[in-house]
């Protein structure tokens, strides 16, 4: 059986909590949960530590594990690493952070102290009151060879998927992730606003939208984007698109979103009567 490192989680937030729980499920020993200066962070760390049978530590962190995983917001990674740099001898340790946008160089101070460092980002959404499984979730990985080997083994133990990414491509990768979840939610809430103009309450709109949203995602998974694309643009119905745009003048933000997505549809997906559709979108 391969050696499983003892892991310290820095940051008891949504991501850190999900990681700790899933790592524990996969048979990893969580040595400690490191909290920040706020009372809320301390409270979360203590609750999480109890669940995974770890210590909750703050300024007096021991970091006696083999691997330290920073799961704090991007702007705090380098600062947290500097704060903990003096706590322990980093030689032989592995340090990871889970930013999707930043490279492993955020941990360069620990690298200079002898740690092997990497960035390991799960392409998954983490929100309050919902802890997702990490099974089959893709993790983007880059960093020092030794840390990459350790991180890859952990991801496989989580029954997840690991893939290599260049540090130069991380921002584009992270922007892609924005389209798959937060901007998707922004699109759906824009749809709710349009539904309000049609006389539906927000709750009604959400309930009525869910079946078509679910089927669209199922079609996208099974048939690909071209096979899942439907509606007036596929039919080349420029008159309906013009009427939509006219109606949406009452909701300018929604009209702008509609026009931007319609242009993307014309460029990337099969649509009939493209010249007339483009003409309507320019008005």
């Amino acid at each position: 059986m391969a050696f499983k490192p003892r892991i310290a989680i820095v940051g008891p937030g949504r991501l850190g909590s999900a990681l700790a729980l899933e790592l524990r499920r996969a048979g990893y020993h969580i040595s400690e949960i490191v909290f920040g200066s706020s009372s809320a962070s301390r409270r979360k760390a203590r609750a999480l530590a109890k669940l995974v049978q770890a210590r909750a530590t703050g300024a007096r962190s021991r970091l006696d594990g083999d691997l330290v995983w920073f799961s704090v917001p991007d702007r705090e990674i380098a600062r947290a690493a500097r704060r903990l740099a003096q706590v322990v001898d980093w030689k032989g340790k592995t340090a990871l952070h889970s930013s999707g946008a930043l490279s492993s160089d955020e941990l360069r101070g620990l690298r200079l102290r002898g740690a092997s460092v990497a960035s390991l980002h799960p392409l998954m959404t983490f929100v309050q009151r919902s802890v997702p499984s990490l099974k089959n979730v893709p993790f983007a990985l880059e960093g020092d060879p030794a840390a990459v080997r350790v991180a890859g083994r952990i991801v496989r133990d989580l029954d997840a998927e690991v893939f290599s990414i260049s540090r130069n491509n991380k921002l584009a990768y992270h922007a892609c992730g924005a389209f798959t979840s937060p901007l998707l939610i922004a699109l759906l809430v824009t749809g709710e606003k349009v539904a309000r103009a049609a006389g539906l309450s927000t709750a009604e709109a959400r309930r009525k939208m869910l079946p078509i949203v679910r089927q669209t995602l199922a079609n996208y998974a099974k048939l690909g984007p071209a096979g899942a694309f439907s509606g007036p643009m596929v039919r080349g119905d420029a008159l309906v698109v013009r009427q939509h745009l006219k109606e949406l003048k009452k909701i300018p933000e929604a009209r702008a979103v509609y026009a931007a997505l319609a242009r993307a549809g014309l460029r990337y997906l099969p649509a009939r009567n493209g010249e007339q559709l483009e003409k309507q979108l320019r008005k």
Side-chain angles (χ1 to χ4, degrees):
M1 182 179 295
F3 167 73
K4 288 185 175 180
R6 294 171 301 150
I7 299 175
I9 302 287
V10 180
R14 297 187 295 271
L15 173 58
S17 296
L19 289 173
L21 292 169
E22 288 291 283
L23 288 165
R24 175 75 178 173
R25 177 190 61 78
Y28 283 83
H29 174 65
I30 308 301
S31 58
E32 62 188 303
I33 307 294
V34 181
F35 55 81
S37 57
S38 72
S39 57
S41 179
R42 184 183 305 109
R43 218 167 30 246
K44 290 176 185 176
R46 287 174 175 168
L48 178 59
K50 187 175 181 180
L51 287 175
V52 298
Q53 298 181 343
R55 300 185 305 271
T57 63
R60 297 183 179 180
S61 304
R62 299 183 194 176
L63 299 185
D64 55 0
D66 308 290
L67 185 150
V68 180
W69 199 326
F70 292 83
S71 58
V72 296
D74 288 12
R75 64 184 179 276
E76 297 178 17
I77 293 172
R79 183 166 64 239
R82 285 194 300 270
R83 179 171 68 87
L84 296 173
Q86 309 289 340
V87 169
V88 70
D89 181 2
W90 285 88
K91 290 179 182 177
K93 288 187 181 293
T94 300
L96 307 176
H97 75 67
S98 285
S99 167
L102 301 176
S103 79
S104 55
D105 286 342
E106 290 298 296
L107 301 175
R108 65 174 66 88
L110 303 182
R111 179 188 283 137
L112 292 173
R113 291 177 175 272
S116 179
V117 307
S119 68
L120 182 63
H121 177 262
L123 190 58
M124 178 47 63
T125 178
F126 300 92
V127 297
Q128 297 286 357
R129 297 186 307 223
S130 177
V131 180
S133 167
L134 297 180
K135 186 175 182 178
N136 297 324
V137 169
F139 281 71
L141 173 62
E142 64 80 27
D144 302 338
V148 164
R149 286 193 296 272
V150 171
R153 188 163 58 245
I154 290 172
V155 173
R156 287 187 287 274
D157 285 341
L158 292 171
D159 294 324
E161 172 196 340
V162 64
F163 68 98
S164 298
I165 190 165
S166 164
R167 67 187 62 197
N168 296 327
N169 291 337
K170 288 205 69 176
L171 279 172
Y173 154 77
H174 198 242
C176 167
F179 279 97
T180 63
S181 183
L183 293 180
L184 177 59
I185 294 298
L187 171 62
L188 293 174
V189 79
T190 302
E192 290 179 6
K193 298 301 180 185
V194 178
R196 291 293 300 275
L200 298 175
S201 70
T202 299
E204 287 175 320
R206 194 169 305 156
R207 187 173 64 253
K208 295 180 188 306
M209 286 164 57
L210 278 173
I212 190 172
V213 170
R214 291 189 179 111
Q215 187 60 51
T216 299
L217 289 176
N219 292 345
Y220 173 76
K222 182 178 180 180
L223 306 173
F229 194 46
S230 64
M233 292 180 64
V234 171
R235 300 189 298 270
D237 199 336
L239 176 60
V240 168
V241 170
R242 183 177 73 183
Q243 291 171 329
H244 284 174
L245 290 166
K246 181 179 178 181
E247 182 68 18
L248 289 173
K249 285 182 178 179
K250 303 172 185 175
I251 316 171
E253 296 86 355
R255 190 180 192 277
V257 171
Y258 182 105
L261 289 174
R263 290 190 187 97
L266 278 178
R267 181 170 183 180
Y268 303 129
L269 293 163
R272 296 178 182 175
N273 201 14
E275 186 175 334
Q276 286 301 313
L277 289 168
E278 182 63 44
K279 182 178 178 181
Q280 297 305 322
L281 292 170
R282 285 198 298 266
K283 290 183 178 180

